[in-house]
Each structure stands twice: as structure tokens, then as C-alpha cells.
């Protein structure tokens, strides 16, 4: 399969197709998507070795993820990998998965310095993590998944977290719930803070119990909540994974969902569909956001003058059976 055939299928010139394959930042988004789709359709494989000789790039990017146990248990992260792969695979760019652990981020920095990686996407960075600042200081291409806790000159992609949590609060009020609570995400993260802030803007007198986005914390937080407020009738749980752990706790205490307690989650991950009943939740388009992270990183790699930017996606409410 030739580049000319890719251009024909995409309805563009060979030069445009070549610029997309080589990661040029100056291609209109609609044309870029058309070429990416044509590459996928035709099965075209770029000559990576030849391209590397011209571009002097490794044609590889790093995706730095939480530790392996968290990765295997979090459907959100699987969607991130899928979204990034959707963009880089047709371009012949290798995706290197790097699990957080001792020396992982240092290895990423070393690989960038030595030319083994062209750039990195950082997912779920610790607020105290020095690596984003080190990447900025060294001028390495980098993109964050989510707003940084403190303002810094680095590109990031996020969803409007506060607006999404407000959707959850409005839904519970529309259902006529009066004794409303929330199980939060970790309050040392922007997502955890923003979801709590957005929800309390809608339901300022809500009971608040803290979790950390994991299923186990959803179990513990709901046990705490039913003791704190036994007649609670509506709960916003700040991640689907926590809701997956919290709903069985309500069942064990004889509370029916949604008859006795309406539940709204956040993410619209596969965890929402494994809840019983299926979870009403705030959708963030995780795979699309991850694809945009990849595109922003490729722009930086091909254009060292690419501006620092933030891309914010809008959330939506997905109504199912839990509330």
C-alpha cells in the first residue's frame, strides 16, 4: 500500500498525506482526520526507518501511567491507552507504556535526553511530582492528562469537572431527593477538588464523605455514610469505580437503588455498566480526550514553537437505572 493510495482514499494531495504521516503541525484538523482514517482503512505502514533518518526522531512516545495494580483495575486508564493508540498507530509512532514506580519518571527523562522517546504523556501525576517542572525546564515535549494542581506552562487536556459535578447535583434535585450526600475523590488532586466544588455549588448542604477514586474507598466511604446519615436518599459518587463498590453496601443495609437511594457517578466508564442497577453517570469522553493528548504531543514534537495550551471537553449526563 502506497502513500499515493492513502491520499486518494482521503481525498487529499500526496503532499498533505505525507505531512500528516510525518506529524506536521500545520495540517487542517479535518484533513488530518481524513488521512488518519484512510491510513487505518488501507492498512498503510510508514517506512519508519527512512522517516527517522529524515526527521531525526525516535518515532516513539511514552505514556506514564499509575502502578500496574491500579492500571489493571481502572477502566478509565484502559480508555486512555485506547485513545492514544488510535492516533499514533496509523502514523507508525510507537507507544511505550511506563508504569509508575521507583525510577520510572527518571527513566522517561533519560529516554527523552537520549533520543529514545520524542515526548511523554503523564497520567495521574502526584501533586508533588517534580517531573512536569523538569520537563518544562528541559524543553521536552509533554502533555498532562488533567489540569495541574498549580498553574504551570505545560499543555493539558481535561473535562469541565465542575460543570459535570453540577449536572449530578441537578439530577438528584430533579428526582426530588432531600437528604443528599457525596463521596468525593482525593482532595489533593484537581479532579477531586473540582468535582466537590461543582457539586456543592448545586447542593451546598450535602453531607460529604471522602474517597480516593478506587473501588475499595467507595466501599469504606458508603459504610461511613450510612452511619452518618442513615436516611440518605441521594448520593453523587465522584467516580464510577467508587460507585461500583458503594452500591452493594447500600444493598447489604437494606436500601434499594434507586427506590430508597438515587446514585449518580462520574466517568461513564465500563464500571458504570457492571453496577447493579446500571449507573446514571456524568460522561467524560475519555478516549477522545486521550486522542487529543496524543495530537497535542505530536504538535509539540514536530513544531518546537507550538504554544502551550489547554483543551477542555464538555461533560454530559447519561441516565440509566440508578437515578
Amino acid at each position: 500500500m502506497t502513500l499515493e493510495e492513502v491520499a486518494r482514499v482521503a481525498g487529499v494531495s500526496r503532499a498533505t498525506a505525507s505531512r500528516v504521516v510525518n506529524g506536521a503541525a500545520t495540517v487542517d484538523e479535518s484533513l488530518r482526520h481524513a488521512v488518519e482514517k484512510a491510513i487505518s482503512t488501507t492498512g498503510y505502514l510508514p517506512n519508519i526507518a527512512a522517516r527517522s533518518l529524515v526527521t531525526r526522531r525516535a518515532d516513539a512516545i511514552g505514556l506514564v501511567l499509575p502502578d500496574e495494580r491500579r492500571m489493571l483495575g481502572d477502566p478509565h486508564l484502559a480508555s486512555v491507552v485506547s485513545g492514544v493508540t488510535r492516533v499514533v498507530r496509523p502514523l507508525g509512532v510507537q507507544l511505550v507504556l511506563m508504569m509508575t514506580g521507583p525510577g520510572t519518571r527518571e527513566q522517561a527523562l533519560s529516554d527523552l535526553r537520549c533520543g529514545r522517546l520524542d515526548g511523554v504523556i503523564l497520567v495521574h501525576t502526584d501533586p508533588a511530582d517534580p517531573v512536569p517542572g523538569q520537563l518544562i525546564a528541559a524543553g521536552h515535549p509533554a502533555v498532562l492528562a488533567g489540569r495541574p494542581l498549580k498553574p504551570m506552562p505545560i499543555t493539558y487536556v481535561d473535562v469541565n469537572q465542575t460543570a459535570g459535578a453540577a449536572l449530578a447535583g441537578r439530577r438528584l434535585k430533579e428526582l426530588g431527593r432531600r437528604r443528599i450526600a457525596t463521596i468525593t475523590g482525593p482532595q489533593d488532586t484537581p479532579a477531586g477538588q473540582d468535582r466537590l466544588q461543582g457539586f456543592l455549588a448545586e447542593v451546598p448542604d450535602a453531607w460529604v464523605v471522602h474517597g480516593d477514586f478506587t473501588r475499595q474507598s467507595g466501599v469504606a466511604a458508603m459504610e461511613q455514610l450510612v452511619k452518618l446519615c442513615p436516611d440518605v436518599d441521594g448520593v453523587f459518587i465522584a467516580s464510577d469505580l467508587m460507585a461500583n463498590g458503594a452500591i452493594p453496601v447500600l444493598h447489604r443495609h437494606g436500601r434499594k437503588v434507586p427506590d430508597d437511594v438515587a446514585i449518580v457517578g462520574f466517568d461513564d466508564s465500563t464500571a458504570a455498566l457492571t453496577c447493579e442497577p446500571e449507573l446514571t453517570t456524568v460522561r467524560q469522553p475519555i478516549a477522545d480526550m486521550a486522542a487529543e493528548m496524543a495530537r497535542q504531543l505530536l504538535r509539540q514534537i514536530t513544531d518546537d514553537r507550538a504554544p502551550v495550551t489547554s483543551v477542555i471537553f464538555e461533560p454530559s449526563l447519561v441516565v440509566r437505572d440508578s437515578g
Side-chain angles (χ1 to χ4, degrees):
M1 186 56 59
T2 66
L3 191 58
E4 286 78 6
E5 180 66 9
V6 170
R8 186 190 67 77
V9 172
V12 301
S13 68
R14 186 190 186 284
T16 296
S18 177
R19 281 159 49 214
V20 172
V21 168
N22 287 308
T26 56
V27 181
D28 180 83
E29 279 302 303
S30 61
L31 297 181
R32 183 185 304 279
H33 287 308
V35 174
E36 289 175 353
K37 183 177 179 180
I39 290 171
S40 179
T41 301
T42 61
Y44 172 76
L45 295 174
N47 187 327
I48 297 174
R51 185 172 65 186
S52 294
L53 288 174
V54 174
T55 63
R56 297 188 178 183
R57 297 196 299 264
D59 282 318
I61 64 170
L63 180 59
V64 183
L65 299 163
D67 64 83
E68 188 172 351
R69 288 175 299 174
R70 173 81 180 274
M71 173 66 188
L72 294 175
D74 192 338
H76 173 105
L77 298 177
S79 295
V80 170
V81 175
S82 175
V84 173
T85 302
R86 189 173 79 205
V87 172
V88 302
R89 178 180 288 164
L91 302 179
V93 174
Q94 182 182 6
L95 179 62
V96 179
L97 299 183
M98 310 178 78
M99 305 298 178
T100 299
T104 299
R105 285 176 165 79
E106 291 74 13
Q107 182 63 51
L109 285 166
S110 175
D111 288 345
L112 285 164
R113 286 194 297 267
C114 297
R116 290 188 291 267
L117 292 176
D118 297 319
V120 294
I121 296 171
L122 296 172
V123 179
H124 292 297
T125 58
D126 186 286
D129 189 348
V131 171
Q134 293 169 345
L135 291 168
I136 294 167
H140 293 308
V143 173
L144 289 183
R147 175 177 66 84
L149 188 62
K150 296 179 180 179
M152 60 177 62
I154 191 167
T155 291
Y156 68 88
V157 177
D158 205 350
V159 71
N160 190 334
Q161 307 276 359
T162 54
L167 287 175
R170 286 196 290 274
R171 175 64 180 175
L172 291 172
K173 290 194 298 183
E174 288 167 359
L175 291 171
R177 305 300 163 139
R178 295 288 182 264
R179 296 170 297 281
I180 300 175
T182 182
I183 295 175
T184 77
Q187 292 304 291
D188 61 349
T189 66
Q193 293 176 356
D194 291 348
R195 293 180 195 182
L196 177 58
Q197 176 186 341
F199 183 72
L200 291 179
E202 283 290 326
V203 191
D205 57 348
W207 282 273
V208 177
V209 179
H210 296 290
D212 65 6
F213 288 150
T214 63
R215 188 182 189 282
Q216 293 79 2
S217 75
V219 173
M222 186 56 80
E223 289 284 4
Q224 182 182 350
L225 180 58
V226 294
K227 294 177 183 176
L228 176 69
C229 181
D231 58 349
V232 64
D233 64 2
V235 186
F236 166 51
I237 303 178
S239 81
D240 295 347
L241 203 57
M242 288 197 299
N244 192 275
I247 289 176
V249 174
L250 287 170
H251 294 163
R252 288 197 295 272
H253 283 270
R255 308 297 306 282
K256 295 181 180 179
V257 178
D259 297 349
D260 300 323
V261 187
I263 303 291
V264 179
F266 200 112
D267 285 334
D268 195 28
S269 67
T270 56
L273 300 177
T274 59
C275 289
E276 182 59 46
E278 290 188 356
L279 188 66
T280 292
T281 187
V282 176
R283 181 177 188 270
Q284 55 172 330
I286 299 169
D288 292 341
M289 292 163 63
E292 183 61 26
M293 294 174 213
R295 294 188 188 100
Q296 290 295 333
L297 185 62
L298 293 174
R299 287 191 184 96
Q300 293 180 40
I301 290 168
T302 57
D303 180 5
D304 57 12
R305 295 171 297 178
V308 171
T309 189
S310 59
V311 181
I312 308 299
F313 284 71
E314 288 303 315
S316 59
L317 186 69
V318 180
V319 176
R320 296 193 179 96
D321 298 333
S322 70

